[in-house]
Amino acid sequence: MVFPSMGVMFALAGTLMAKSLERPALKVIRGRLRRLLPPFWFWGVFVVVAMLIHDWMPGWQIVYWIVPLGDPPGNAWGEQAWEILWYLRTYLWFVLLSPVLLKVFRLAPVPVLVLSLAPIVAFHFLWEPPDDRFGSALTDLATFLFCWILGFAHRDGVPARLKPFAVAVLSLAAIGFAGWYALTHQAGTGSYDLDDIPLAQALWSAGYVTLLMWAKSYFGIDFAWLTRFRRTDRLVTVFNSRAVTIYLWHEIALILAVPLIDRFWNVPAFEKWLPLG
C-alpha cells in the first residue's frame, strides 16, 4: 500500500505505449509481441514439462501457453509459478487495445480519463464478472485501465494543465476511500492486500499515480541526469531489456529460496531473530 507498484508499472507502460504509437500501430504491436512472447515460451517450456511430469494432462486450453490472451491452465503443483501470468495477460490485452484506446482518449482527454474508473465501479456494484478466464481478464483490465490511460495523459502533457487543488483533492479522496474500503472489507479475502481487492487497488493506484505524474509534470522533475552515471545507466538498460524474463523467473527464484530459508532454522541466532515463520 505504501508503493502500489502494479499501478505504477501500468501507468509507465501506458506512457511508453503512447510514445511508441507515434509509429504505425501494427509495427508497434509486432515489436511488443516479440519482446513478450519468446521469453514467455522459453519459460513456459520448463513449467509445462514440469507439470506434465507431475500428472497434469492439458486440454485445448493449452493454446493459452502459446498466446496468453487468457490465464494459461495448469495443475496445483505448478500454481505458484504460473499464477503471476495475470500480469502478462493484462499487459498483452492493453497492448492490443491501445491504438483504439489512444484515439478515444484524445477525443476528450479528461472525461475519458475519469470515466476509465467506471468499469471497475460497475463490476463491483452492478455486475460481477464470472469467476473464470473471461471474468478474471475483465476484472484486471478494469482495475488498471485508469493507470494505463493516465500514462497516455502523461505523454500528452495533460496532468500539467490540471488545477493543483482539484488534482490534490480528487487524488487524496480516491486514496482515502480505497484505504477505508480495504481496511473495512477484509472479511472476503482475509487481509487488506490491494491485490485481493480490485476496487481498492484501482482507486488507491489511481490516486497515487495521479499525484506522482502530476507532480513530475507540474514541478518539471527530470531524472535524465542519472544517465551520466554510465555503469548505473548500463545496469538499468540491461534489466529493462530483459524485464519480461526477470518477471517470469523471479517467482521461481522465490520458490527455490524456500529450502534455503528452511536451513536457517538450524542456526540458533537466525531462528531467534529472523521472522522465518
Side-chain angles (χ1 to χ4, degrees):
M1 295 183 76
V2 173
F3 189 83
S5 57
M6 299 313 300
V8 172
M9 286 171 65
F10 278 111
L12 293 175
T15 295
L16 295 173
M17 192 66 188
K19 175 178 171 57
S20 296
L21 285 172
E22 294 170 1
R23 296 180 285 123
L26 287 178
K27 185 176 181 180
V28 172
I29 291 174
R30 190 161 55 243
R32 286 291 194 277
L33 293 179
R34 267 202 302 267
R35 292 190 65 180
L36 178 70
L37 293 181
F40 169 66
W41 292 334
F42 181 78
W43 175 86
V45 166
F46 290 90
V47 177
V48 168
V49 169
M51 290 191 296
L52 290 172
I53 293 172
H54 287 82
D55 301 321
W56 179 56
M57 185 55 63
W60 68 266
Q61 294 92 344
I62 199 171
V63 297
Y64 292 117
W65 280 101
I66 301 173
V67 182
L69 291 173
D71 293 327
N75 63 3
W77 183 87
E79 182 175 2
Q80 190 172 348
W82 55 257
E83 67 178 357
I84 64 170
L85 293 179
W86 73 268
Y87 173 72
L88 265 67
R89 179 250 293 147
T90 306
Y91 176 81
L92 177 58
W93 271 112
F94 274 134
V95 166
L96 296 175
L97 293 172
S98 279
V100 174
L101 288 175
L102 186 57
K103 287 182 179 179
V104 173
F105 165 75
R106 284 176 173 164
L107 293 175
V110 175
V112 170
L113 180 62
V114 174
L115 287 174
S116 64
L117 286 170
I120 190 63
V121 174
F123 288 168
H124 188 81
F125 293 107
L126 300 178
W127 176 73
E128 184 176 353
D131 187 17
D132 56 17
R133 250 183 213 93
F134 176 71
S136 296
L138 276 181
T139 300
D140 291 333
L141 283 170
T143 300
F144 296 104
L145 178 61
F146 180 94
C147 290
W148 189 271
I149 293 181
L150 181 62
F152 294 169
H154 179 65
R155 175 63 187 170
D156 288 359
V158 173
R161 301 197 298 266
L162 300 177
K163 294 181 179 180
F165 180 77
V167 171
V169 170
L170 293 176
S171 297
L172 293 176
I175 292 173
F177 178 83
W180 168 82
Y181 191 88
L183 293 172
T184 57
H185 290 74
Q186 299 182 50
T189 62
S191 77
Y192 51 84
D193 186 349
L194 294 176
D195 292 336
D196 298 328
I197 312 171
L199 180 64
Q201 173 74 283
L203 292 174
W204 186 279
S205 295
Y208 192 105
V209 181
T210 297
L211 286 175
L212 279 181
M213 289 195 160
W214 172 82
K216 183 183 188 302
S217 300
Y218 189 81
F219 295 108
I221 300 170
D222 188 1
F223 293 100
W225 57 271
L226 287 171
T227 59
R228 294 202 303 265
F229 299 93
R230 292 187 178 182
R231 290 185 179 179
T232 305
D233 186 49
R234 175 60 182 162
L235 186 64
V236 171
T237 301
V238 168
F239 272 74
N240 184 54
S241 62
R242 294 159 180 81
V244 176
T245 297
I246 293 170
Y247 176 77
L248 289 169
W249 287 96
H250 92 276
E251 187 74 7
I252 292 179
L254 291 174
I255 297 169
L256 295 176
V258 173
L260 175 63
I261 294 171
D262 287 343
R263 302 288 294 176
F264 287 6
W265 289 95
N266 299 326
V267 181
F270 289 169
E271 181 183 4
K272 182 177 180 180
W273 299 107
L274 294 182
L276 299 181

